[in-house]
Structure formats: C-alpha cells, structure tokens
Amino acid sequence: MTATGTTSADGPGDGGWTAAWELLLPTASAPPRGRGRMLQSALREAVRSGRIAAGTRLPSSRELSADLGVSRGLVTDAYEQLTAEGYLSSARGAGTWVSGAARAVAAAGPTRHPAPEVRRAGFLPGSPDLSLFPRTAWSAAHRRVLAELPHDGLGYPDPCGLAALRAAVAALLTRRRGVVAEPGRVIICSGVAQAMTLLCTVLRTRAPGPGVVAVEDPGSPEHHALIAASGLATAAVPLDAEGMSPRALAAAGARAAVLTPAHQFPSGIAYSARRRTELLDWARAADGLLVEDDYDGDFRYDRAPVGALQGLDPERVAYTGSVSKSLAPGLRLGWLVLPEALVAPVAEVKRTMDLGHPVLDQALLADFITRGDYDRQLRRCQRAYRERRDVLVAELTERYPGTEITGIAAGLHVIARLPARFGPQRRFLAEAGRAGVALRPLDDYTGAPPPPGGAVRLVLGYAHLPPARIREAVRLLPR
Amino acid sequence: MTATGTTSADGPGDGGWTAAWELLLPTASAPPRGRGRMLQSALREAVRSGRIAAGTRLPSSRELSADLGVSRGLVTDAYEQLTAEGYLSSARGAGTWVSGAARAVAAAGPTRHPAPEVRRAGFLPGSPDLSLFPRTAWSAAHRRVLAELPHDGLGYPDPCGLAALRAAVAALLTRRRGVVAEPGRVIICSGVAQAMTLLCTVLRTRAPGPGVVAVEDPGSPEHHALIAASGLATAAVPLDAEGMSPRALAAAGARAAVLTPAHQFPSGIAYSARRRTELLDWARAADGLLVEDDYDGDFRYDRAPVGALQGLDPERVAYTGSVSKSLAPGLRLGWLVLPEALVAPVAEVKRTMDLGHPVLDQALLADFITRGDYDRQLRRCQRAYRERRDVLVAELTERYPGTEITGIAAGLHVIARLPARFGPQRRFLAEAGRAGVALRPLDDYTGAPPPPGGAVRLVLGYAHLPPARIREAVRLLPR
C-alpha cells in the first residue's frame, strides 16, 4: 500500500488500514459485473466490524485501483457510496477516511444514535436540512392517526397504497406540480429508488423484453446503478442546453428514458418546452416510456414552478417523487404516478416485493398533507433554502469574480464554473480538501472526459448548511 | 356465464358481474407464466373501479376456469389472493363474492377508512386480533423517539437496519427463540415476504446459478408465489409426521428449502429433533440453505417453545419473522437472521430495492422492545389466544364427537379432522358457507389429491375471533 497519513483526534490517519487490506483482495477475482458490489460490501464490513478504525485514511482511488487491479471508477464509486452512507468521509484531494459516524453505528447499543452527519462538512449535494423536520406536527399527526384508525386498518395494506394517501398525493401533485394524478394512477412506495426498481422490474418482464434505458449524461449515478441492479442495460445520453438530446436518444435504441426535467441533476437546467414536446414525440413514435424523476421540483425560488412533463401526456410519462427532500430521507415515503396500463403490473410487483407500504406511515402522511402541514413545511424550507442560495451566490461571486453560477432558480444545489485563473481543478479540490471542505466536481457526474484546461466546475449543495456555515466554508476555499 | 345467485343487503348476488367479464378474457392469451398475475390484476381492477359491485357473486372456480380456458388452480389462487386482500369474500361452497370492504376502499376519500375486515366472518387462518394492538404504548414510543432522535438520524438509513433495532431484535430472538443472533447477522426488512424476495434475489444471482427451492406440501401458498415471482423454480416436497422428508428433499435436487419447523403451516406439527438434524445434514452435504419461516413461533401454549432450527447451525439456516402476528401486519416490520456470508449480499439487495427501512418505524420498535413493551404484548396475546383455542377445541369436540384436533400446542390455528359421518367435505363446506361461516379445507394447501371418502379436514384460524364469536360460529356449522 502506498497510502500514508497521520492520525489525530479530528482528522484522518492510516492506523489499521492494512488490517483490512486482505478483505478487499477477492474483489479482483470476482466476475466483472459483481466487482463493484463486492468491493463496497467488503469495505463496509471492514468499517462496521472495526477492522478499519475511525479516522483511518484510505488509499487514493488511483492507488487502490492499481493495487487491486480493478478500474478506478469502481473504487471511486465504492468510496462515494460509502461516503453517502456515512461510513466514510471524503474531501477530494484530502483523500477518504473512516468517519466517526461509522464507528458510532458499529458500537451503538439500543439507545445510541449515529454521530452527526458527515455531509455537513462541505457542499456535497443531495441532503435537505434535517433540523427543519417538523417534529411537533409529525408527532401530533401520529397521535391523531392512532386514535382514529379502525382496528381493521392495521391489517395487510393495499399494495397500491392507502386510499386516503393516494387521494391526498393526487391532489397535492395536481395542485403543485401540474401532474395528471387521479388517485387510481398513484402507487405509494418507499421513494424514487423503489419506484425505479418497480418500473424496471415491470419493463424487464414485459414485451418486447429487456431493453436499454437511457439516462442523462451528466446525470445521477443512482439512476444508472438502480437500472443496472434491475437487470436492464443503460445508455448515457448527452444533454444540450435544452435537455436530453432526442436525436441521441433515438440513436441509443432505448425503450425508456429517465429524466429530471424540472431541474436537471446535476446541471440545473430546466428542459425547454420545445424539448419536452420532442421527447414526447419520441415516446409516441417509439412506444417508449419517459420516467420523470421530480426529485426537487417543490423548490423553485424566482418564478412559478415548471409544471411536470407528465402533465403533457400521462400515458407516456411515469412520474416519481418523494418526501426525501421536503421532509426527510429516513421516512422512506414516495410515490409513482403511472400510465393507466402500468398501474396493475407495478402494484403486483410491489405486492410481491414487500406486501405494500406500512399503513401508519401512510395514514400519517395523508393526515399531514390534508391538514395543510405539508404545504407549510414546503414554504418554510423554501424560505430557508432561498436565503442559503442567495448567500452562497453572493459569497462565490465576491471570492471568485467572473464565476458563472447556473441552476440557481430551483432545487438544493447550484453549478459554479470558476474563471480559468482559479484552476486547475485538481489543485483547487486538493486544497479545499486540506481545508476541510468537501466538494464534488461536475466531472464526477459524467462519463465524458473533463474539458481541457481543467477549469473548476463544481456541484454545490447548500440546503443542509445554515448561512453562517456557507460563509465560513466559502472563505476556507482556495484563492 | 353459468353463475347464478341473488342480491340482498347482506349476501352475495350476481348483479354487475357480466360487465367485468370482458376484462378477464385477455388472460387466456397471456403467456402461461403471466396468466395468474393478469387474472388477479384484472379482477382487482374490476372490483376497484366498481365494474363489479359489492355483493356480486363470482362464478365458481370450475365455471370460470372452463369459460376462460385456463387451469382451475389459477382461478382458485386469484380468488384466494383477492380474498386475503379484502376485495372478495368467500365461503367455499357458498361461492365467492365482492366484499363491502373493497367497495369502501374504492370510494374512500382522504378521511375514510376501509370497512371492517371480511376475515371476521369465519375461521380463515392468518390474522391476529387487531383490536389487541397496543395503541397507547405505541403512541408513547413514537413520541419518545421523535423527542430523542438526533437530526442526523433522519437521513438515509443503514440498509441493514438501525443499529439500535438490530441489537434489540438480536437480544429478543436469542432470549425467546434460541436464535444465534448477533446484531451483525440481523437485517431489518418489511416482513417475511420481503425477506424471501431478498433471499431469492441473492440466490438467483449467485453461483451455481438459479436452482430449485423446496417448499412444504402441504404448505403456505405464499412461499410458492414469492419464490416464483423472484424467478426461481419451486418443488413441493411432502411432509410426514416429523416434518419435510429429507429423502424427498434430496431427490428434488433443491439448493434451498423453506420450512416452518416450530409449527408447520398448515398441518400444525413441530419438526422432530431427529428431522431437524437430518435436514441440517442435507444442507451441509448439498451446500444447501434452510430458510426458517418462524411465522408464529412466539405463540406456544402448553409447554416451552420449540427453539428455532437456526440455533443448531446459523451458517446453514436463514431465519425470518415479523411483527405481523404479534402486533399488526400493517406495520410491515420484520427481520432476517443470516449466515455471515449472506449478510453483505442481502443488505446490498435491500439497499438497491428501497434504500433501507423507514427510520422512525425502526427506532419506535427498538424502543418498544427494549422497554419490555413487546414482551408484555406477547403475554397479553398469548393469554387471549390460548383462551380462544380452548373454547374452539371444546366447542368442536362437543358438536362433533370423535373429531381429531391437532396443531393445538402453538400458533393461531388448528387442524380439525371430523369423523366420516359428518362428511362429505363438499357438502359440509357448502352448508357452512350458506350459514355465513367461511372455512378453509386442508386440501387447499396441498397439490396432492384429497383422500377418498371426502372426510372433513379443516384449517381453523381462531386468534382473530373473541370467544363468543367462536361459540356462535361453531354452532352455525352443519351437523
């Protein structure tokens, strides 16, 4: 191993890393498709079991991939995944180390809880501010639901979801997102990940048989991973300034495409009206399905929200969303709004997979939505996140004059392109990492090679950071 | 259609059935593997949409299978499934009709709840008494959890489950069921259905590739359906008085076997010690896996519980259970205790499928178990169910002298074999149905032909019925 580092009370070190080395060796001999998972599992177990202690610095992805004889992307993916799960903490350039959170989970007894979330250390995108979770209202809703639910409501759930929640979600999405959502089209599920698994399982088993699913490039690595895990192939289709290119989509021979039209992840663009029409034309001509992941469509700051693509043709678009950004990812509650022909088959897969969603959680969310608490929560988050976005944009503009910031109209992250004089990106990220600020470059989300010159292009998540933390973190970034 | 009947306020009729007839016709032209699902979906949709009104009597399985040109088992399965889901109500002999519950679900607005459960009309097995759900203690636990959970506990869950719950479940199963359950072996999931889906997905993708999974005959139709939906083949292996026959298991060429050793469903036998050893010998010799579905192992009335098979060899047995019988099926909370080598792959499938289980539900159950509330609930149910069992056995013995009642030591159901003079079974079931008492014959759970003579052999679920209802229902049965 070539990794080096020092251990200190509050930083990464290398103690104990070599003890876990042997666990990772079988990875190279696994079949190619299974290597990524095996590496992730082995690393996770090594952290969980304490074989790699908290604070231990892991080798760089370049070093580990060379040592194991596997691709560097595999190692990067494993590090990213385990970082997202809280086992690892990473700051590009400063390397990756075992987080304190992971140790706390391993050692936790029945009354302990995980240590503070590692994302807070930087601008990694994807998390809302969990301190905004409406505990009092949520608790009150639980009490009401338990007081009112008849005994028989505690039996096996309808695999489509509780009628009350399907109706509440349908009304919510119709009103807020322009979705065509009669309750009969709504399936309650655990979130976008399960929605994709359900849809892919149905696609896999229906005529004309397995096919290719197009994903955005740049795009969410989760889309690719979920589709692949369901046994379907993916094709990365490039974006232009208006959205996914319909010509490239047609050329890919895809039968379905996963899109984020309201606020593309990560680029932040909203799909143009013309592009929406073109993509629907493709779906009608090719008998294709568009899957609309409306992951942060509730947050729009400077003008009215862009309506959901689904509203244009509900028989060609499967719409999915969740409460992960508006309430908390830990609730595992989301929805699918489906073309009529897909409702029964998707419900059947949901039934087989887990016999339907927990009823009390469903009744609780239905109560929460119908009483107006959900709208109140969205307004509260919207105010907080708009302020954070404004602070971030102002701080970046001041510290890096000439920076181009896009994707600011919506969502929980922006894209910042710094003038060339602040690059190269590699050095910038390394210095930020040493200063303790985790950053994710836009290049992480694309299969295409980074442009020449190495300019700094960042995906900056801000929603989880109070304004003071944003100011502090930007000031720690390299000049 | 040849089905006839009359409509009344409280009984089945045939109004509206023909309107739904066309919906079912495509079933016959579907590929054989998809027919069962298609029939179920079409029927479910017909009920949900109101195309078949509540109270409508469906044709007999014989008539419908003949009319559609599909196997009778397919129709029986569809009727059973939709009855379990509450859309249909059935009493063998009296036929199958659309239940009022289904209509209520279809028409429900945000504040309505489903009508009383149809199971209450008879002795259909599988449901606990939902009125025993400990609402006050559950509500208090939710309040405590929300007050104590740190903000970061609301983030994405560990796909293995909350550390606190894994520890609580491990301690509970070690103490109550003799399971070897270090927390590191425990995966939290939504129940036995998801546990089977997770296991089958791992089995399907691992060397030596897909294989046959043995299921008990007689046995739970759910086991077969879940395994088949995961893309694996099943082999029905007959039982003798000690459990699944190891010779027949070996002959089936299975790589895994799903067992209910504590209280076999439906026969009620407990696997003998010798048989447990023989089955483990098979697993070691054939590199096979035993899946122990401990669906009602918590309820044992007359002697100490039979310890879990898993305790004998935790590397050869995957143990699964849930709170569906002890608390409520609607909670969708269960667990898997795995051989060490399966923990990481099963967790990986769980992560892909739904990103882990809802955190508040998990924290709540952990609190509920560690405070002793779960044990209190089990004691309360155990007392209630023992009394109901005693009442049922006494009533049956009085009304049908000479009846052999087995499987009474544990669980939520018994098997009653009536003397031949009360048969034939066909007439008995028909008369019971006309009297409004839903019954399930043992023959429903086996692929083997019923024995000659047509003696009455019933699987009687009693846990959901208060003693007075049991007395009343037995007295309605034919003499």
Side-chain angles (χ1 to χ4, degrees):
Chain A
M1 296 300 337
T2 43
T4 56
T6 54
T7 309
S8 74
D10 54 4
D14 68 351
W17 158 252
T18 44
W21 168 241
E22 286 168 84
L23 286 174
L24 307 183
L25 284 175
T27 302
S29 57
R33 264 195 71 209
R35 278 180 203 166
R37 288 191 176 203
M38 183 176 281
L39 179 62
Q40 291 180 24
S41 299
L43 256 180
R44 204 183 281 113
E45 269 315 298
V47 174
R48 218 179 246 146
S49 64
R51 289 182 74 158
I52 324 184
T56 304
R57 184 198 294 264
L58 270 60
S60 76
S61 58
R62 188 178 51 72
E63 290 160 349
L64 185 56
S65 65
D67 286 351
L68 290 177
V70 300
S71 81
R72 188 166 173 190
L74 209 92
V75 176
T76 316
D77 284 351
Y79 281 12
E80 269 180 23
Q81 181 55 43
L82 271 69
T83 301
E85 291 176 20
Y87 294 102
L88 303 180
S89 197
S90 88
R92 213 157 268 263
T96 301
W97 62 93
V98 178
S99 73
R103 195 171 52 174
V105 170
T111 56
R112 295 259 322 259
H113 293 295
E117 206 184 38
V118 293
R119 284 178 189 279
R120 292 188 166 272
F123 290 107
L124 302 184
S127 181
D129 187 341
L130 299 171
S131 75
L132 297 178
F133 184 77
R135 292 182 185 233
T136 309
W138 200 254
S139 194
H142 189 266
R143 208 161 44 243
R144 273 194 304 272
V145 160
L146 261 185
E148 290 168 14
L149 195 75
H151 293 318
D152 295 302
L154 292 164
Y156 284 101
D158 182 335
C160 291
L162 200 69
L165 181 56
R166 296 173 81 194
V169 165
L172 178 81
L173 296 178
T174 302
R175 177 165 52 81
R176 291 193 68 97
R177 305 293 299 125
V179 169
V180 174
E182 310 93 71
R185 291 178 182 272
V186 177
I187 302 267
I188 303 303
C189 62
S190 84
V192 173
Q194 188 174 60
M196 299 275 292
T197 302
L198 294 171
L199 273 175
C200 287
T201 304
V202 169
L203 287 179
R204 197 183 67 219
T205 54
R206 276 163 80 93
V212 171
V213 178
V215 295
E216 298 171 328
D217 184 3
S220 161
E222 280 79 28
H223 288 162
H224 166 77
L226 285 166
I227 296 162
S230 297
L232 296 176
T234 59
V237 174
L239 302 175
D240 58 28
E242 297 186 64
M244 182 182 274
S245 154
R247 196 164 308 134
L249 172 58
R255 63 185 297 202
V258 182
L259 311 172
T260 52
H263 185 235
Q264 200 274 334
F265 188 85
S267 76
I269 63 164
Y271 277 43
S272 71
R274 184 176 64 176
R275 185 54 51 85
R276 290 166 185 245
T277 308
E278 289 167 348
L279 289 166
L280 285 168
D281 287 345
W282 167 82
R284 293 184 196 113
D287 194 18
L289 178 72
L290 300 175
V291 180
E292 178 171 23
D293 176 2
D294 200 24
Y295 69 102
D296 67 0
D298 273 318
F299 299 108
R300 167 117 344 219
Y301 308 115
D302 307 313
R303 50 186 156 92
V306 180
L309 174 65
Q310 189 265 5
L312 298 176
D313 192 343
E315 300 305 335
R316 288 290 166 197
V317 183
Y319 171 96
T320 177
S322 77
V323 304
S324 293
K325 301 287 189 286
S326 52
L327 287 165
L331 296 180
R332 310 307 311 126
L333 258 168
W335 42 77
L336 255 170
V337 186
L338 290 166
E340 274 180 13
L342 287 177
V343 172
V346 167
E348 190 56 28
V349 176
K350 171 77 179 161
R351 196 182 66 75
T352 307
M353 214 167 255
D354 57 18
L355 291 183
H357 217 70
V359 288
L360 291 177
D361 296 0
Q362 292 191 66
L364 202 163
L365 183 61
D367 178 280
F368 195 81
I369 292 173
T370 52
R371 293 177 73 94
D373 287 333
Y374 191 76
D375 283 298
R376 263 187 290 281
Q377 168 71 4
L378 288 177
R379 283 196 297 275
R380 185 174 169 220
C381 292
Q382 174 115 345
R383 274 196 304 275
Y385 297 162
R386 179 165 42 204
E387 183 195 357
R388 292 166 194 203
R389 180 205 61 169
D390 291 345
V391 169
L392 176 63
V393 170
E395 291 287 323
L396 284 174
T397 308
E398 188 189 324
R399 190 163 179 84
Y400 305 106
T403 291
E404 180 196 0
I405 305 176
T406 56
I408 65 172
L412 313 182
H413 74 277
V414 297
I415 304 287
R417 291 176 176 80
L418 274 57
R421 66 180 182 282
F422 297 107
Q425 178 164 283
R426 195 184 161 77
R427 183 193 60 81
F428 189 94
L429 295 173
E431 288 186 20
R434 276 194 289 278
V437 183
L439 292 175
R440 186 132 299 163
L442 185 57
D443 301 332
D444 273 12
Y445 298 96
T446 177
V456 182
R457 305 189 309 165
L458 304 171
V459 181
L460 299 166
Y462 55 79
H464 58 298
L465 297 170
R469 294 291 309 277
I470 292 177
R471 287 193 193 94
E472 183 188 347
V474 170
R475 285 163 196 180
L476 286 170
L477 292 178
R479 275 303 304 260
Chain B
M1 298 299 339
T2 44
T4 57
T6 55
T7 307
S8 74
D10 54 5
D14 68 351
W17 159 251
T18 45
W21 167 241
E22 287 168 82
L23 286 174
L24 308 183
L25 283 175
T27 303
S29 58
R33 265 194 70 208
R35 278 180 204 164
R37 289 191 175 201
M38 184 174 281
L39 179 61
Q40 290 180 26
S41 300
L43 256 179
R44 203 182 283 112
E45 269 315 298
V47 174
R48 218 179 248 144
S49 65
R51 291 181 72 158
I52 323 184
T56 305
R57 184 198 294 265
L58 271 59
S60 75
S61 59
R62 188 180 49 74
E63 291 160 349
L64 185 56
S65 65
D67 286 351
L68 290 177
V70 300
S71 82
R72 187 167 174 191
L74 210 91
V75 177
T76 316
D77 284 353
Y79 282 11
E80 269 179 25
Q81 180 55 42
L82 271 68
T83 301
E85 290 175 20
Y87 294 101
L88 302 180
S89 197
S90 89
R92 212 155 269 261
T96 302
W97 61 93
V98 178
S99 72
R103 194 172 51 173
V105 168
T111 56
R112 296 255 326 256
H113 294 294
E117 205 184 41
V118 293
R119 285 178 188 280
R120 293 188 166 273
F123 290 108
L124 303 184
S127 182
D129 187 342
L130 298 171
S131 75
L132 297 178
F133 184 77
R135 292 182 186 232
T136 309
W138 200 253
S139 194
H142 189 266
R143 210 162 42 244
R144 272 194 304 274
V145 160
L146 260 186
E148 290 168 14
L149 196 75
H151 294 317
D152 295 302
L154 291 164
Y156 284 101
D158 181 335
C160 291
L162 200 69
L165 181 56
R166 297 173 81 194
V169 165
L172 177 81
L173 297 178
T174 302
R175 177 165 52 80
R176 290 194 69 97
R177 304 293 300 125
V179 169
V180 174
E182 312 93 70
R185 291 178 182 273
V186 177
I187 301 267
I188 303 303
C189 62
S190 85
V192 173
Q194 188 174 60
M196 299 275 292
T197 302
L198 294 172
L199 273 175
C200 287
T201 304
V202 169
L203 288 179
R204 197 183 67 218
T205 55
R206 276 162 78 94
V212 171
V213 177
V215 295
E216 297 171 328
D217 185 4
S220 162
E222 280 79 29
H223 288 162
H224 166 76
L226 285 167
I227 296 162
S230 298
L232 297 176
T234 58
V237 174
L239 302 175
D240 58 28
E242 297 185 65
M244 183 181 274
S245 154
R247 196 164 308 134
L249 173 58
R255 62 186 298 203
V258 181
L259 311 172
T260 52
H263 185 234
Q264 202 275 331
F265 188 85
S267 76
I269 63 164
Y271 278 42
S272 70
R274 185 176 64 176
R275 185 53 51 84
R276 291 166 184 243
T277 308
E278 289 168 347
L279 289 166
L280 285 169
D281 287 344
W282 167 83
R284 293 184 196 113
D287 194 19
L289 178 72
L290 300 175
V291 181
E292 178 172 23
D293 176 1
D294 199 25
Y295 69 104
D296 67 359
D298 273 319
F299 299 107
R300 166 102 7 203
Y301 308 113
D302 306 312
R303 50 186 156 94
V306 181
L309 175 64
Q310 188 265 6
L312 298 176
D313 191 343
E315 300 306 335
R316 287 290 164 197
V317 182
Y319 172 96
T320 178
S322 77
V323 304
S324 293
K325 302 286 188 286
S326 52
L327 287 164
L331 296 180
R332 309 309 309 128
L333 259 168
W335 42 76
L336 256 170
V337 186
L338 291 166
E340 274 180 14
L342 287 177
V343 173
V346 167
E348 190 56 28
V349 176
K350 171 76 178 159
R351 195 181 67 75
T352 307
M353 215 166 255
D354 58 17
L355 290 184
H357 217 70
V359 288
L360 290 178
D361 296 0
Q362 293 191 65
L364 202 164
L365 183 61
D367 178 280
F368 195 81
I369 293 173
T370 52
R371 294 177 73 94
D373 287 334
Y374 192 76
D375 283 296
R376 263 186 291 280
Q377 168 72 2
L378 288 176
R379 283 195 297 274
R380 186 174 168 220
C381 293
Q382 173 115 346
R383 273 195 305 274
Y385 297 162
R386 178 164 42 203
E387 182 194 359
R388 292 166 194 204
R389 179 206 61 170
D390 291 345
V391 168
L392 175 63
V393 169
E395 290 290 322
L396 284 174
T397 308
E398 188 188 324
R399 192 162 177 83
Y400 305 106
T403 291
E404 181 197 359
I405 305 177
T406 56
I408 64 171
L412 313 183
H413 74 277
V414 297
I415 304 286
R417 291 177 176 79
L418 273 57
R421 67 180 182 281
F422 297 107
Q425 178 164 284
R426 195 183 161 77
R427 184 193 59 81
F428 190 93
L429 296 172
E431 289 186 18
R434 278 193 289 278
V437 183
L439 293 175
R440 185 131 299 165
L442 185 56
D443 301 333
D444 272 12
Y445 298 97
T446 177
V456 182
R457 306 188 308 166
L458 304 171
V459 181
L460 299 165
Y462 54 80
H464 58 299
L465 298 170
R469 294 291 309 275
I470 292 175
R471 286 193 194 93
E472 182 189 346
V474 171
R475 285 164 197 180
L476 287 169
L477 292 178
R479 274 303 304 259

